[in-house]
Amino acid sequence: MRKIIGFKLVLRIHETKRRAKKAKLDLAAAGFDDLALQKLLDEATAAVSPRVLFETFKHPDPDQPLLSPIPGLAYSLVLASLGDGLTALAPEGAEEPRLRLLKIIEETALEETVRFATTLLQDEAEKDVCELSPISPLAGEALSAVLRKLSGVKIGVGLGEDGGLVPGASSAVSLSWLSKSKAKGKR
């Protein structure tokens, strides 16, 4: 199992603007010009503590039917968290547009954290002449299995009373390892 904590996370202004537009959040009306938005992104980058745990499990594995999105040669689990840092940027009584924008920033940062780990897994898969399936988010009973297999306490992630991950800025995903077709590259 690999654990990586505190790697550099880059939050890009154009990506945040794109997602805000998609969520129908008018940044200009909310008082977030480019300078104010960049300032908030810098604060968010300083506030989060990105961390991931990931491991690949070979076939056969007793939890494979529950955790593997597609039957394959193996599957990888990724557990990612940003910690509780963004909650400090959303004090009680904060305006609704700011809260919505912080949620967008949190989602983006969490996706970037997962992407960091999956890029490393992709490199490993290519060395084994495999390709990875699309990312499959995990929920429900699969979360307790992920926390057990990856020891979520190592990065401060646990299971909340509602059955979701705690802290809230956490995610668990699975990817299957599929063998590459030898004929695929001979065209």
Side-chain angles (χ1 to χ4, degrees), residues 16-32 37 40 95-105:
T16 305
K17 284 179 163 181
R18 185 187 70 76
R19 288 176 182 239
K21 183 177 179 181
K22 188 175 179 182
K24 296 183 179 14
L25 176 60
D26 187 353
L27 293 175
F32 288 102
L37 182 57
L40 184 61
E95 296 177 11
E96 191 263 338
R98 181 180 176 93
L99 297 175
R100 286 181 59 201
L101 182 56
L102 283 170
K103 188 65 178 165
I104 290 168
I105 291 170

Side-chain angles (χ1 to χ4, degrees), residues 19 36 44 48 50 60 67 69 123 126 135 155 159 162-163 166 177 179-180:
R19 288 176 182 239
V48 298
L67 298 173
D123 292 343
E126 287 175 3
I135 293 172
I155 60 169
L159 208 54
D162 64 350
V166 176
W177 288 49
S179 67
K180 282 186 178 178

